[in-house]
Amino acid sequence: MLSPSQETKAAENSSINRHEKKEENNTASKVTEKSEAKVQAEPEKNQGRYNLRRRKDDGDAKPAEAKPEEKEAIMAAAPVATLSTPLDFGGKIGAFFWLLFLPAWVLFLILQVSLEDPSLANFPPPLPPLVAFWDTQAFGFVILWILFQALLYILPFGKLSEGMPLKTGERLKYRTNGFFAIVVSAVAVAAAVHQGVDLTYIHSHFLQLATASFLISILLSIYLYVRSRNAPPEQLALGGNSGNVIYDFFKGHELNPRIKGFDLKFFCEMRPGLIGWCLINFAMALAEMKQQGLDAPSPAMIIVNLFQLIYVVDGLWNEEAILTTMDFMHDGFGFMLAFGDLVWVPFTYTMQTYYLVNHPNPLSVPALTVIIILKLVGFYIFRKSNSEKNAFRRNPSDPKLSHLKTIHTATGRNLLVSGWWGVVRHPNYLGDLIMALAWSLPCGFSHLLPWYYMIYFIILLVHRDSRDMSECRRKYGSAWDEYCRTVCYRIIPCVY
């Protein structure tokens, strides 16, 4: 859906699931295929076998390349989407609802936070005239930003990473140079400010920039759906191949749409919106200085900018990890992710900094200390658990992972039940929630609006957990029940 990232934000960004940024929030089952296992088309009734063992039992195994005849078997055994495939997000009616609700919700947030008093007592915010939504310069600015990020994406810097095996056994290659892109972007922004460019334009034209991004996401979604009608069956996403136009348009019909090697989903997930999130935050800091007559941003503004910058930089530094997430392995690229990447992430995840422009919140040294400790603890859990998951998915036979315990399933996949994944079923969600708390606390408790991200994230992650539970119980049968008995808590130890 509409996703924080990284690894969160995302989408969600099913999240509109990116900021599933997004590696972290898409770790539904923490499973990996044993590299030597062949895909088996077994009945559900035969998927009840499991055993609890340490990974050292497989420590000497070496990853095996799929033989041509095995690739054919994989393709033949791959599930084909049918009209009976379970539909997410309320099915066909739900997809229609989300198509209308999500843009309306973003509009509400922008209009509400721009009020002098953004309390819910002033709901609904007054609707501006239609002419106020459009600004040609803002539209041009968004287009140039996307083209600039596309140029950085195609430059031959950074490594070529392989994605997870597709139905055909093929592994797509991705240019993972996101860290390079954000460094160059930062240099370009600094040079622009030095030359006198007034970035507070982003604050004063926030609504128009969001409208431009929304129009671009709509046009992109239409293009994606039209081109997917001619895509081969093996290139279609299982969940977005329902046969219903509205649902498939929303969820995404094609899994990995590319234009001559330019991967549209990977680019949109990790570049314009995610790096744009940091650009907007920086512009809000400049706007606060301008409107409050400050020589430097307030401590609250500084730590929110810094915390979220660290989050994004971490996602781009570990960009390869997003290739093992639900977004890339299962979800098609349609309106849900396109809107989440280009609109939801940059224009709703910046609510805290937008709020602080006109509502400064002084912070004492003890309060700053507590908030920083919270951020560090959350980030450690988030990064450590995601690193364990990503390494395990990519090479479960790695001797470095031999200490990890797993439950083996009849599908040839293993479920992690040790390390951080033995504490709760979604330790990366736990880290994300702690960081979300650290992002919201600097805004104080005068208004509910800057806590929107925290509230939204709780709802998003609980929904993701429920979605994961249903899917994994269907796939792994009694092995999943044993897993749930072994790892009792879902997100928060001893609580949930």
Side-chain angles (χ1 to χ4, degrees):
M1 193 233 65
L2 301 178
S3 139
S5 169
Q6 204 176 345
E7 279 158 353
T8 116
K9 293 222 143 290
E12 244 189 348
N13 298 349
S14 275
S15 54
I16 276 186
N17 308 315
R18 233 120 105 86
H19 62 103
E20 299 142 308
K21 161 209 191 232
K22 313 197 332 8
E23 76 178 298
E24 30 334 65
N25 303 320
N26 299 310
T27 56
S29 57
K30 299 91 60 184
V31 302
T32 181
E33 291 197 40
K34 295 169 75 177
S35 53
E36 70 275 11
K38 298 179 183 179
V39 173
Q40 302 175 14
E42 296 185 4
E44 288 291 331
K45 64 181 180 180
N46 292 332
Q47 296 186 5
R49 303 189 300 276
Y50 57 84
N51 66 296
L52 187 63
R53 57 178 179 158
R54 290 183 180 274
R55 289 301 307 162
K56 63 183 179 182
D57 299 336
D58 298 329
D60 297 329
K62 296 180 180 179
E65 292 293 329
K67 298 177 181 179
E69 59 271 21
E70 290 175 331
K71 291 184 178 181
E72 293 178 7
I74 290 173
M75 186 173 176
V80 178
T82 66
L83 293 178
S84 62
T85 301
L87 304 182
D88 299 319
F89 306 106
K92 301 168 185 177
I93 296 177
F96 182 73
F97 167 78
W98 291 116
L99 281 171
L100 299 177
F101 173 78
L102 293 174
W105 180 253
V106 174
L107 174 61
F108 157 71
L109 289 176
I110 293 174
L111 295 179
Q112 190 74 23
V113 76
S114 63
L115 295 177
E116 182 177 349
D117 178 10
S119 66
L120 295 182
N122 292 323
F123 175 85
L127 193 66
L130 286 178
V131 67
F133 287 84
W134 177 257
D135 182 85
T136 303
Q137 186 176 355
F139 185 80
F141 180 85
V142 174
I143 291 291
L144 286 176
W145 175 253
I146 293 174
L147 292 177
F148 175 59
Q149 294 302 320
L151 173 63
L152 297 179
Y153 173 66
I154 63 176
L155 290 177
F157 293 96
K159 65 182 291 190
L160 280 175
S161 302
E162 286 190 338
M164 300 300 287
L166 302 176
K167 298 174 186 178
T168 60
E170 178 188 6
R171 289 176 179 264
L172 297 178
K173 294 186 182 299
Y174 299 85
R175 177 70 67 181
T176 49
N177 61 358
F179 183 75
F180 162 79
I182 194 171
V183 170
V184 174
S185 298
V187 171
V189 169
V193 172
H194 181 72
Q195 293 298 318
V197 175
D198 184 11
L199 286 186
T200 62
Y201 172 90
I202 293 176
H203 174 262
S204 59
H205 291 77
F206 200 61
L207 175 62
Q208 293 80 10
L209 291 167
T211 301
S213 298
F214 171 64
L215 291 176
I216 292 170
S217 71
I218 286 288
L219 294 174
L220 175 60
S221 301
I222 293 172
Y223 165 76
L224 292 169
Y225 182 77
V226 171
R227 65 164 277 158
S228 72
R229 304 304 299 173
N230 297 317
E234 66 272 14
Q235 294 182 10
L236 300 181
L238 183 63
N241 191 15
S242 69
N244 179 270
V245 174
I246 293 178
Y247 183 84
D248 292 348
F249 174 83
F250 172 77
K251 188 71 184 294
H253 199 45
E254 189 175 358
L255 185 61
N256 299 293
R258 290 188 160 204
I259 301 176
K260 293 185 177 181
F262 189 98
D263 194 286
L264 294 170
K265 181 163 71 170
F266 183 74
F267 169 72
C268 288
E269 285 262 345
M270 299 303 294
R271 304 307 170 84
L274 207 59
I275 300 177
W277 175 7
C278 298
L279 172 63
I280 292 173
N281 276 348
F282 178 63
M284 296 304 169
L286 296 178
E288 182 198 41
M289 293 170 59
K290 183 178 181 179
Q291 296 202 15
Q292 302 297 328
L294 303 174
D295 295 328
S298 66
M301 178 69 80
I302 289 174
I303 63 172
V304 172
N305 260 268
L306 182 61
F307 288 172
Q308 295 183 352
L309 177 63
I310 291 173
Y311 186 78
V312 172
V313 169
D314 172 73
L316 295 172
W317 180 263
N318 298 282
E319 188 175 23
E320 187 178 45
I322 197 175
L323 302 178
T324 65
T325 62
M326 183 186 295
D327 282 3
F328 278 84
M329 296 171 62
H330 304 293
D331 289 342
F333 191 35
F335 177 83
M336 180 181 74
L337 290 180
F339 178 84
D341 296 338
L342 301 179
V343 182
W344 189 270
V345 169
F347 294 98
T348 70
Y349 289 8
T350 52
M351 281 294 106
Q352 287 102 341
T353 54
Y354 194 112
Y355 171 85
L356 287 171
V357 171
N358 293 313
H359 303 88
N361 182 50
L363 293 175
S364 64
V365 173
L368 275 172
T369 303
V370 170
I371 292 171
I372 291 172
I373 291 174
L374 269 177
K375 167 64 180 181
L376 293 176
V377 170
F379 181 76
Y380 174 79
I381 297 173
F382 173 81
R383 173 47 43 216
K384 188 69 174 177
S385 59
N386 271 311
S387 296
E388 285 180 353
K389 179 265 301 181
N390 185 53
F392 184 67
R393 278 186 173 174
R394 286 197 167 276
N395 185 10
S397 300
D398 188 340
K400 296 178 181 179
L401 306 176
S402 61
H403 64 286
L404 296 178
K405 293 181 179 180
T406 65
I407 291 178
H408 184 63
T409 74
T411 63
R413 298 183 177 187
N414 296 318
L415 306 174
L416 268 179
V417 291
S418 64
W420 278 102
W421 299 96
V423 179
V424 290
R425 299 174 203 167
H426 299 283
N428 53 339
Y429 292 0
L430 173 62
D432 244 331
L433 286 174
I434 295 173
M435 287 192 290
L437 177 61
W439 297 355
S440 302
L441 283 172
C443 298
F445 302 95
S446 299
H447 294 97
L448 185 63
L449 196 61
W451 289 83
Y452 146 78
Y453 180 83
M454 182 75 184
I455 297 169
Y456 152 73
F457 225 52
I458 291 173
I459 297 171
L460 168 66
L461 297 184
V462 169
H463 170 263
R464 276 188 170 274
D465 172 71
S466 175
R467 182 182 171 194
D468 295 347
M469 285 289 292
S470 299
E471 176 64 16
C472 291
R473 181 168 284 115
R474 181 189 68 81
K475 287 175 65 176
Y476 305 116
S478 59
W480 182 255
D481 294 331
E482 173 66 13
Y483 167 77
C484 292
R485 287 191 292 270
T486 304
V487 185
C488 301
Y489 296 102
R490 301 185 180 201
I491 300 176
I492 303 176
C494 302
V495 177
Y496 176 75

